[in-house]
Amino acid sequence: MFWYEEEVKRLEKLQKTLEYQPQTAFYGSSTFTLWQSLYQDFAPFQPVNLGFGGSTLAACTWYFDRVFKYQKSLDNIIVYAGDNDLSNNRHPEEIYIFLFQLFEKVKERYGDIHCSYVSIKPSPIRWYLNDQVKYTNMIIKNEIEARQNPYWHFVNIYDNYLGYDNRPNPQYYENDGLHFNTQGHTILKEILLKHLSQIKQV
C-alpha cells in the first residue's frame, strides 16, 4: 500500500483547508479524483472529495482511519472503487469483502449514516474484465439488498455507459478508454444528485 502514501498525506491535509464541515464524502479512485467540477456539482450537499488516484477498495478500507478525521458532520459517504482491484487480479469476492469491511468501519465511527456504493463502470480498455465487473456488481447489489439496512445503498451506473451494441460508449471516456470525460461525469452527476435527493427525504 506504500505507493498511495503521498496521496493519502494530501487527503489528511485537505480537512484543514475546507471552509465548512463536509456532509457528503466522495471516497474512492480516480473517477472521483479527476472530477474537476465535483465541488460545484454537489455544492448543496457540502461535499469533500477524498478520491485518490489508482486506489482500490482494499486501499480505501486500509486507509479509512487516516483519511476520515472529520467529526460527526458527515451524513453520506459515496464510494467508487473496484475496477482497479479487478485489474490487479483480485477476485470479485475479495472486493465484496473489502467493501463490507469499509461499511462496518463507517458504522463504527459515524453510526447510522448513508453509505452508497457506485457500481463498477464498464470501460473500453478493460472490456476483457466485463464478466468480472458484472459479477462483482451483482454480488454487492444482492448483499446490500439482502441485509435490508436502510443506510446502505447500491447505485447502478453500469447500463448508463453502454452504447447500442451493449459495449462501452466511447463518447463518455477520455482517449485512454478508462476515465470519464466531461460527458461521462455529467451522467454520473445526474445519477448521484437524484440518489442523494432521494435518501435525504428518508
mmCIF file of all heavy atoms in Angstrom, residues 10-11 13-27 32-51 70 189 193:
data_model
loop_
_atom_site.group_PDB
_atom_site.id
_atom_site.type_symbol
_atom_site.label_atom_id
_atom_site.label_comp_id
_atom_site.label_asym_id
_atom_site.label_seq_id
_atom_site.Cartn_x
_atom_site.Cartn_y
_atom_site.Cartn_z
ATOM 1 N N ARG A 10 -1.928 13.925 1.224
ATOM 2 C CA ARG A 10 -2.675 15.050 0.660
ATOM 3 C C ARG A 10 -4.084 15.112 1.230
ATOM 4 O O ARG A 10 -4.579 16.190 1.602
ATOM 5 C CB ARG A 10 -2.734 14.928 -0.865
ATOM 6 C CG ARG A 10 -3.599 15.985 -1.547
ATOM 7 C CD ARG A 10 -3.659 15.789 -3.049
ATOM 8 N NE ARG A 10 -4.281 14.528 -3.441
ATOM 9 C CZ ARG A 10 -5.593 14.347 -3.504
ATOM 10 N NH1 ARG A 10 -6.435 15.323 -3.168
ATOM 11 N NH2 ARG A 10 -6.081 13.181 -3.904
ATOM 12 N N LEU A 11 -4.724 13.965 1.348
ATOM 13 C CA LEU A 11 -6.084 13.923 1.886
ATOM 14 C C LEU A 11 -6.102 14.259 3.370
ATOM 15 O O LEU A 11 -7.058 14.877 3.863
ATOM 16 C CB LEU A 11 -6.703 12.544 1.648
ATOM 17 C CG LEU A 11 -6.917 12.152 0.182
ATOM 18 C CD1 LEU A 11 -7.508 10.751 0.088
ATOM 19 C CD2 LEU A 11 -7.808 13.156 -0.528
ATOM 20 N N LYS A 13 -4.257 16.414 4.796
ATOM 21 C CA LYS A 13 -4.134 17.875 4.890
ATOM 22 C C LYS A 13 -5.390 18.591 4.426
ATOM 23 O O LYS A 13 -5.647 19.729 4.808
ATOM 24 C CB LYS A 13 -2.943 18.345 4.054
ATOM 25 C CG LYS A 13 -1.595 17.858 4.558
ATOM 26 C CD LYS A 13 -0.480 18.282 3.604
ATOM 27 C CE LYS A 13 0.868 17.743 4.066
ATOM 28 N NZ LYS A 13 1.948 18.073 3.092
ATOM 29 N N LEU A 14 -6.171 17.927 3.586
ATOM 30 C CA LEU A 14 -7.332 18.559 2.970
ATOM 31 C C LEU A 14 -8.316 19.082 3.997
ATOM 32 O O LEU A 14 -8.891 20.159 3.833
ATOM 33 C CB LEU A 14 -8.029 17.558 2.034
ATOM 34 C CG LEU A 14 -9.311 18.026 1.344
ATOM 35 C CD1 LEU A 14 -9.047 19.233 0.460
ATOM 36 C CD2 LEU A 14 -9.904 16.877 0.527
ATOM 37 N N GLN A 15 -8.514 18.337 5.077
ATOM 38 C CA GLN A 15 -9.513 18.730 6.072
ATOM 39 C C GLN A 15 -9.199 20.092 6.686
ATOM 40 O O GLN A 15 -10.104 20.791 7.156
ATOM 41 C CB GLN A 15 -9.616 17.669 7.160
ATOM 42 C CG GLN A 15 -8.346 17.439 7.947
ATOM 43 C CD GLN A 15 -8.492 16.284 8.928
ATOM 44 O OE1 GLN A 15 -9.429 16.273 9.713
ATOM 45 N NE2 GLN A 15 -7.603 15.328 8.860
ATOM 46 N N LYS A 16 -7.933 20.494 6.675
ATOM 47 C CA LYS A 16 -7.550 21.772 7.267
ATOM 48 C C LYS A 16 -7.839 22.948 6.338
ATOM 49 O O LYS A 16 -7.800 24.099 6.762
ATOM 50 C CB LYS A 16 -6.067 21.755 7.617
ATOM 51 C CG LYS A 16 -5.687 20.667 8.628
ATOM 52 C CD LYS A 16 -4.187 20.646 8.870
ATOM 53 C CE LYS A 16 -3.816 19.527 9.830
ATOM 54 N NZ LYS A 16 -2.341 19.434 10.035
ATOM 55 N N THR A 17 -8.116 22.663 5.061
ATOM 56 C CA THR A 17 -8.321 23.735 4.086
ATOM 57 C C THR A 17 -9.801 23.998 3.791
ATOM 58 O O THR A 17 -10.123 25.034 3.212
ATOM 59 C CB THR A 17 -7.612 23.406 2.764
ATOM 60 O OG1 THR A 17 -8.225 22.252 2.162
ATOM 61 C CG2 THR A 17 -6.137 23.111 3.009
ATOM 62 N N LEU A 18 -10.680 23.092 4.184
ATOM 63 C CA LEU A 18 -12.106 23.296 3.917
ATOM 64 C C LEU A 18 -12.662 24.421 4.791
ATOM 65 O O LEU A 18 -12.308 24.532 5.964
ATOM 66 C CB LEU A 18 -12.892 22.010 4.187
ATOM 67 C CG LEU A 18 -12.824 20.911 3.134
ATOM 68 C CD1 LEU A 18 -13.639 19.711 3.586
ATOM 69 C CD2 LEU A 18 -13.317 21.391 1.776
ATOM 70 N N GLU A 19 -13.549 25.209 4.209
ATOM 71 C CA GLU A 19 -14.140 26.322 4.943
ATOM 72 C C GLU A 19 -15.465 25.938 5.587
ATOM 73 O O GLU A 19 -16.152 26.783 6.149
ATOM 74 C CB GLU A 19 -14.334 27.511 4.002
ATOM 75 C CG GLU A 19 -13.019 28.043 3.442
ATOM 76 C CD GLU A 19 -13.205 29.195 2.480
ATOM 77 O OE1 GLU A 19 -14.380 29.498 2.148
ATOM 78 O OE2 GLU A 19 -12.203 29.796 2.071
ATOM 79 N N TYR A 20 -15.827 24.665 5.512
ATOM 80 C CA TYR A 20 -17.069 24.187 6.112
ATOM 81 C C TYR A 20 -16.864 22.750 6.562
ATOM 82 O O TYR A 20 -15.921 22.074 6.156
ATOM 83 C CB TYR A 20 -18.228 24.268 5.111
ATOM 84 C CG TYR A 20 -17.971 23.539 3.809
ATOM 85 C CD1 TYR A 20 -18.209 22.160 3.674
ATOM 86 C CD2 TYR A 20 -17.495 24.220 2.694
ATOM 87 C CE1 TYR A 20 -17.970 21.493 2.486
ATOM 88 C CE2 TYR A 20 -17.249 23.563 1.497
ATOM 89 C CZ TYR A 20 -17.492 22.206 1.398
ATOM 90 O OH TYR A 20 -17.254 21.544 0.211
ATOM 91 N N GLN A 21 -17.777 22.278 7.415
ATOM 92 C CA GLN A 21 -17.774 20.885 7.821
ATOM 93 C C GLN A 21 -18.507 20.088 6.750
ATOM 94 O O GLN A 21 -19.683 20.326 6.491
ATOM 95 C CB GLN A 21 -18.465 20.712 9.180
ATOM 96 C CG GLN A 21 -17.646 21.218 10.348
ATOM 97 C CD GLN A 21 -16.380 20.405 10.556
ATOM 98 O OE1 GLN A 21 -16.392 19.183 10.488
ATOM 99 N NE2 GLN A 21 -15.276 21.099 10.793
ATOM 100 N N PRO A 22 -17.843 19.153 6.094
ATOM 101 C CA PRO A 22 -18.482 18.434 4.980
ATOM 102 C C PRO A 22 -19.613 17.535 5.451
ATOM 103 O O PRO A 22 -19.577 16.993 6.562
ATOM 104 C CB PRO A 22 -17.334 17.609 4.390
ATOM 105 C CG PRO A 22 -16.393 17.412 5.527
ATOM 106 C CD PRO A 22 -16.475 18.672 6.342
ATOM 107 N N GLN A 23 -20.604 17.389 4.587
ATOM 108 C CA GLN A 23 -21.717 16.487 4.857
ATOM 109 C C GLN A 23 -21.659 15.230 3.990
ATOM 110 O O GLN A 23 -22.154 14.183 4.397
ATOM 111 C CB GLN A 23 -23.054 17.211 4.623
ATOM 112 C CG GLN A 23 -23.340 18.330 5.592
ATOM 113 C CD GLN A 23 -24.652 19.020 5.307
ATOM 114 O OE1 GLN A 23 -25.316 18.743 4.300
ATOM 115 N NE2 GLN A 23 -25.038 19.941 6.165
ATOM 116 N N THR A 24 -21.052 15.352 2.813
ATOM 117 C CA THR A 24 -21.015 14.237 1.866
ATOM 118 C C THR A 24 -19.580 13.998 1.409
ATOM 119 O O THR A 24 -18.953 14.897 0.837
ATOM 120 C CB THR A 24 -21.899 14.532 0.639
ATOM 121 O OG1 THR A 24 -23.230 14.800 1.081
ATOM 122 C CG2 THR A 24 -21.919 13.346 -0.314
ATOM 123 N N ALA A 25 -19.063 12.807 1.684
ATOM 124 C CA ALA A 25 -17.701 12.456 1.281
ATOM 125 C C ALA A 25 -17.739 11.547 0.063
ATOM 126 O O ALA A 25 -18.489 10.568 0.033
ATOM 127 C CB ALA A 25 -16.972 11.761 2.428
ATOM 128 N N PHE A 26 -16.943 11.889 -0.931
ATOM 129 C CA PHE A 26 -16.769 11.059 -2.115
ATOM 130 C C PHE A 26 -15.424 10.358 -1.960
ATOM 131 O O PHE A 26 -14.374 11.007 -1.926
ATOM 132 C CB PHE A 26 -16.798 11.915 -3.378
ATOM 133 C CG PHE A 26 -18.148 12.508 -3.668
ATOM 134 C CD1 PHE A 26 -18.596 13.634 -2.987
ATOM 135 C CD2 PHE A 26 -18.982 11.930 -4.619
ATOM 136 C CE1 PHE A 26 -19.849 14.175 -3.253
ATOM 137 C CE2 PHE A 26 -20.234 12.466 -4.890
ATOM 138 C CZ PHE A 26 -20.677 13.589 -4.196
ATOM 139 N N TYR A 27 -15.475 9.034 -1.844
ATOM 140 C CA TYR A 27 -14.282 8.269 -1.473
ATOM 141 C C TYR A 27 -14.032 7.179 -2.499
ATOM 142 O O TYR A 27 -14.947 6.413 -2.829
ATOM 143 C CB TYR A 27 -14.504 7.654 -0.094
ATOM 144 C CG TYR A 27 -13.290 7.024 0.552
ATOM 145 C CD1 TYR A 27 -12.044 7.640 0.533
ATOM 146 C CD2 TYR A 27 -13.395 5.811 1.221
ATOM 147 C CE1 TYR A 27 -10.947 7.068 1.152
ATOM 148 C CE2 TYR A 27 -12.306 5.229 1.855
ATOM 149 C CZ TYR A 27 -11.078 5.866 1.807
ATOM 150 O OH TYR A 27 -9.986 5.304 2.431
ATOM 151 N N PHE A 32 -13.426 9.784 -9.005
ATOM 152 C CA PHE A 32 -13.670 10.965 -8.180
ATOM 153 C C PHE A 32 -12.493 11.936 -8.221
ATOM 154 O O PHE A 32 -12.683 13.150 -8.320
ATOM 155 C CB PHE A 32 -13.956 10.560 -6.734
ATOM 156 C CG PHE A 32 -15.278 9.863 -6.541
ATOM 157 C CD1 PHE A 32 -15.490 9.062 -5.428
ATOM 158 C CD2 PHE A 32 -16.304 9.998 -7.458
ATOM 159 C CE1 PHE A 32 -16.703 8.423 -5.234
ATOM 160 C CE2 PHE A 32 -17.523 9.352 -7.283
ATOM 161 C CZ PHE A 32 -17.730 8.555 -6.146
ATOM 162 N N THR A 33 -11.268 11.418 -8.147
ATOM 163 C CA THR A 33 -10.091 12.291 -8.094
ATOM 164 C C THR A 33 -10.044 13.250 -9.275
ATOM 165 O O THR A 33 -9.702 14.431 -9.119
ATOM 166 C CB THR A 33 -8.800 11.447 -8.099
ATOM 167 O OG1 THR A 33 -8.903 10.398 -7.138
ATOM 168 C CG2 THR A 33 -7.593 12.311 -7.769
ATOM 169 N N LEU A 34 -10.393 12.775 -10.469
ATOM 170 C CA LEU A 34 -10.292 13.580 -11.686
ATOM 171 C C LEU A 34 -11.557 14.372 -12.007
ATOM 172 O O LEU A 34 -11.639 15.010 -13.055
ATOM 173 C CB LEU A 34 -9.967 12.660 -12.873
ATOM 174 C CG LEU A 34 -8.646 11.889 -12.761
ATOM 175 C CD1 LEU A 34 -8.486 10.943 -13.951
ATOM 176 C CD2 LEU A 34 -7.463 12.840 -12.669
ATOM 177 N N TRP A 35 -12.521 14.353 -11.105
ATOM 178 C CA TRP A 35 -13.789 15.051 -11.331
ATOM 179 C C TRP A 35 -13.608 16.522 -10.970
ATOM 180 O O TRP A 35 -13.769 16.936 -9.837
ATOM 181 C CB TRP A 35 -14.870 14.408 -10.472
ATOM 182 C CG TRP A 35 -16.278 14.765 -10.836
ATOM 183 C CD1 TRP A 35 -16.715 15.868 -11.500
ATOM 184 C CD2 TRP A 35 -17.451 13.993 -10.529
ATOM 185 N NE1 TRP A 35 -18.076 15.852 -11.628
ATOM 186 C CE2 TRP A 35 -18.555 14.699 -11.040
ATOM 187 C CE3 TRP A 35 -17.651 12.783 -9.865
ATOM 188 C CZ2 TRP A 35 -19.853 14.231 -10.901
ATOM 189 C CZ3 TRP A 35 -18.950 12.319 -9.735
ATOM 190 C CH2 TRP A 35 -20.044 13.036 -10.247
ATOM 191 N N GLN A 36 -13.281 17.329 -11.973
ATOM 192 C CA GLN A 36 -12.888 18.714 -11.742
ATOM 193 C C GLN A 36 -14.010 19.580 -11.162
ATOM 194 O O GLN A 36 -13.757 20.513 -10.395
ATOM 195 C CB GLN A 36 -12.392 19.336 -13.055
ATOM 196 C CG GLN A 36 -11.168 18.648 -13.632
ATOM 197 C CD GLN A 36 -9.960 18.748 -12.731
ATOM 198 O OE1 GLN A 36 -9.710 19.783 -12.115
ATOM 199 N NE2 GLN A 36 -9.197 17.662 -12.631
ATOM 200 N N SER A 37 -15.248 19.280 -11.516
ATOM 201 C CA SER A 37 -16.371 20.128 -11.093
ATOM 202 C C SER A 37 -17.141 19.547 -9.909
ATOM 203 O O SER A 37 -18.242 20.001 -9.613
ATOM 204 C CB SER A 37 -17.331 20.347 -12.270
ATOM 205 O OG SER A 37 -17.877 19.108 -12.717
ATOM 206 N N LEU A 38 -16.577 18.570 -9.236
ATOM 207 C CA LEU A 38 -17.324 17.869 -8.179
ATOM 208 C C LEU A 38 -17.830 18.819 -7.097
ATOM 209 O O LEU A 38 -18.987 18.730 -6.668
ATOM 210 C CB LEU A 38 -16.475 16.754 -7.569
ATOM 211 C CG LEU A 38 -17.177 15.833 -6.561
ATOM 212 C CD1 LEU A 38 -16.622 14.409 -6.669
ATOM 213 C CD2 LEU A 38 -17.017 16.333 -5.123
ATOM 214 N N TYR A 39 -16.979 19.719 -6.649
ATOM 215 C CA TYR A 39 -17.394 20.622 -5.571
ATOM 216 C C TYR A 39 -18.535 21.532 -6.005
ATOM 217 O O TYR A 39 -19.449 21.813 -5.222
ATOM 218 C CB TYR A 39 -16.197 21.448 -5.075
ATOM 219 C CG TYR A 39 -15.271 20.672 -4.178
ATOM 220 C CD1 TYR A 39 -14.140 20.048 -4.690
ATOM 221 C CD2 TYR A 39 -15.531 20.554 -2.811
ATOM 222 C CE1 TYR A 39 -13.288 19.322 -3.864
ATOM 223 C CE2 TYR A 39 -14.681 19.834 -1.975
ATOM 224 C CZ TYR A 39 -13.565 19.218 -2.511
ATOM 225 O OH TYR A 39 -12.738 18.493 -1.683
ATOM 226 N N GLN A 40 -18.512 21.979 -7.246
ATOM 227 C CA GLN A 40 -19.603 22.814 -7.751
ATOM 228 C C GLN A 40 -20.862 21.976 -7.995
ATOM 229 O O GLN A 40 -21.978 22.409 -7.657
ATOM 230 C CB GLN A 40 -19.185 23.491 -9.063
ATOM 231 C CG GLN A 40 -18.091 24.531 -8.932
ATOM 232 C CD GLN A 40 -16.713 23.929 -8.725
ATOM 233 O OE1 GLN A 40 -16.432 22.840 -9.241
ATOM 234 N NE2 GLN A 40 -15.851 24.613 -7.982
ATOM 235 N N ASP A 41 -20.685 20.791 -8.538
ATOM 236 C CA ASP A 41 -21.829 19.947 -8.887
ATOM 237 C C ASP A 41 -22.644 19.545 -7.662
ATOM 238 O O ASP A 41 -23.860 19.359 -7.759
ATOM 239 C CB ASP A 41 -21.355 18.685 -9.616
ATOM 240 C CG ASP A 41 -20.791 18.978 -10.999
ATOM 241 O OD1 ASP A 41 -21.073 20.068 -11.544
ATOM 242 O OD2 ASP A 41 -20.060 18.120 -11.533
ATOM 243 N N PHE A 42 -21.971 19.369 -6.529
ATOM 244 C CA PHE A 42 -22.657 18.863 -5.331
ATOM 245 C C PHE A 42 -22.652 19.876 -4.187
ATOM 246 O O PHE A 42 -22.810 19.503 -3.023
ATOM 247 C CB PHE A 42 -22.026 17.543 -4.881
ATOM 248 C CG PHE A 42 -22.188 16.444 -5.886
ATOM 249 C CD1 PHE A 42 -21.197 16.202 -6.834
ATOM 250 C CD2 PHE A 42 -23.340 15.672 -5.925
ATOM 251 C CE1 PHE A 42 -21.349 15.210 -7.783
ATOM 252 C CE2 PHE A 42 -23.506 14.678 -6.875
ATOM 253 C CZ PHE A 42 -22.511 14.448 -7.811
ATOM 254 N N ALA A 43 -22.524 21.143 -4.526
ATOM 255 C CA ALA A 43 -22.434 22.192 -3.509
ATOM 256 C C ALA A 43 -23.546 22.138 -2.458
ATOM 257 O O ALA A 43 -23.283 22.340 -1.262
ATOM 258 C CB ALA A 43 -22.397 23.563 -4.182
ATOM 259 N N PRO A 44 -24.812 21.841 -2.831
ATOM 260 C CA PRO A 44 -25.868 21.806 -1.808
ATOM 261 C C PRO A 44 -25.667 20.722 -0.757
ATOM 262 O O PRO A 44 -26.284 20.781 0.322
ATOM 263 C CB PRO A 44 -27.142 21.529 -2.624
ATOM 264 C CG PRO A 44 -26.814 21.961 -4.012
ATOM 265 C CD PRO A 44 -25.365 21.663 -4.191
ATOM 266 N N PHE A 45 -24.807 19.750 -1.045
ATOM 267 C CA PHE A 45 -24.585 18.637 -0.125
ATOM 268 C C PHE A 45 -23.242 18.750 0.612
ATOM 269 O O PHE A 45 -22.798 17.811 1.248
ATOM 270 C CB PHE A 45 -24.650 17.311 -0.883
ATOM 271 C CG PHE A 45 -26.002 17.044 -1.496
ATOM 272 C CD1 PHE A 45 -26.262 17.399 -2.817
ATOM 273 C CD2 PHE A 45 -27.020 16.479 -0.742
ATOM 274 C CE1 PHE A 45 -27.515 17.169 -3.377
ATOM 275 C CE2 PHE A 45 -28.276 16.248 -1.294
ATOM 276 C CZ PHE A 45 -28.523 16.595 -2.606
ATOM 277 N N GLN A 46 -22.627 19.932 0.531
ATOM 278 C CA GLN A 46 -21.365 20.220 1.220
ATOM 279 C C GLN A 46 -20.359 19.071 1.066
ATOM 280 O O GLN A 46 -20.022 18.374 2.022
ATOM 281 C CB GLN A 46 -21.634 20.528 2.694
ATOM 282 C CG GLN A 46 -22.421 21.814 2.884
ATOM 283 C CD GLN A 46 -22.594 22.187 4.346
ATOM 284 O OE1 GLN A 46 -23.674 22.034 4.916
ATOM 285 N NE2 GLN A 46 -21.532 22.671 4.950
ATOM 286 N N PRO A 47 -19.840 18.909 -0.138
ATOM 287 C CA PRO A 47 -19.004 17.741 -0.447
ATOM 288 C C PRO A 47 -17.547 17.896 -0.021
ATOM 289 O O PRO A 47 -17.038 19.011 0.155
ATOM 290 C CB PRO A 47 -19.091 17.663 -1.971
ATOM 291 C CG PRO A 47 -19.207 19.102 -2.382
ATOM 292 C CD PRO A 47 -20.065 19.752 -1.326
ATOM 293 N N VAL A 48 -16.896 16.774 0.126
ATOM 294 C CA VAL A 48 -15.445 16.723 0.196
ATOM 295 C C VAL A 48 -14.995 15.572 -0.704
ATOM 296 O O VAL A 48 -15.572 14.488 -0.667
ATOM 297 C CB VAL A 48 -14.935 16.531 1.641
ATOM 298 C CG1 VAL A 48 -15.451 15.242 2.280
ATOM 299 C CG2 VAL A 48 -13.403 16.580 1.689
ATOM 300 N N ASN A 49 -14.003 15.837 -1.544
ATOM 301 C CA ASN A 49 -13.517 14.844 -2.495
ATOM 302 C C ASN A 49 -12.315 14.121 -1.892
ATOM 303 O O ASN A 49 -11.220 14.684 -1.800
ATOM 304 C CB ASN A 49 -13.130 15.511 -3.815
ATOM 305 C CG ASN A 49 -12.834 14.506 -4.908
ATOM 306 O OD1 ASN A 49 -12.623 13.319 -4.647
ATOM 307 N ND2 ASN A 49 -12.816 14.967 -6.146
ATOM 308 N N LEU A 50 -12.524 12.890 -1.482
ATOM 309 C CA LEU A 50 -11.478 12.083 -0.861
ATOM 310 C C LEU A 50 -10.996 10.977 -1.796
ATOM 311 O O LEU A 50 -10.501 9.947 -1.340
ATOM 312 C CB LEU A 50 -11.991 11.489 0.459
ATOM 313 C CG LEU A 50 -12.399 12.516 1.516
ATOM 314 C CD1 LEU A 50 -12.942 11.819 2.760
ATOM 315 C CD2 LEU A 50 -11.239 13.423 1.883
ATOM 316 N N GLY A 51 -11.131 11.202 -3.091
ATOM 317 C CA GLY A 51 -10.609 10.239 -4.044
ATOM 318 C C GLY A 51 -9.098 10.293 -4.104
ATOM 319 O O GLY A 51 -8.500 11.356 -3.929
ATOM 320 N N TYR A 70 -12.766 13.563 9.953
ATOM 321 C CA TYR A 70 -13.845 14.525 10.125
ATOM 322 C C TYR A 70 -14.721 14.131 11.309
ATOM 323 O O TYR A 70 -14.892 12.960 11.616
ATOM 324 C CB TYR A 70 -14.669 14.625 8.836
ATOM 325 C CG TYR A 70 -13.814 15.052 7.675
ATOM 326 C CD1 TYR A 70 -13.244 14.107 6.831
ATOM 327 C CD2 TYR A 70 -13.533 16.389 7.444
ATOM 328 C CE1 TYR A 70 -12.423 14.483 5.776
ATOM 329 C CE2 TYR A 70 -12.718 16.778 6.393
ATOM 330 C CZ TYR A 70 -12.166 15.824 5.572
ATOM 331 O OH TYR A 70 -11.347 16.199 4.543
ATOM 332 N N LYS A 189 -23.077 12.685 -12.418
ATOM 333 C CA LYS A 189 -23.608 13.763 -11.579
ATOM 334 C C LYS A 189 -25.132 13.657 -11.474
ATOM 335 O O LYS A 189 -25.697 13.731 -10.371
ATOM 336 C CB LYS A 189 -23.230 15.126 -12.162
ATOM 337 C CG LYS A 189 -23.821 16.305 -11.389
ATOM 338 C CD LYS A 189 -23.588 17.627 -12.103
ATOM 339 C CE LYS A 189 -24.486 17.781 -13.303
ATOM 340 N NZ LYS A 189 -24.409 19.143 -13.906
ATOM 341 N N LEU A 193 -26.959 13.014 -7.955
ATOM 342 C CA LEU A 193 -27.819 14.068 -7.406
ATOM 343 C C LEU A 193 -29.220 13.534 -7.131
ATOM 344 O O LEU A 193 -29.823 13.832 -6.088
ATOM 345 C CB LEU A 193 -27.893 15.256 -8.373
ATOM 346 C CG LEU A 193 -26.687 16.195 -8.396
ATOM 347 C CD1 LEU A 193 -26.851 17.232 -9.501
ATOM 348 C CD2 LEU A 193 -26.506 16.889 -7.035
#
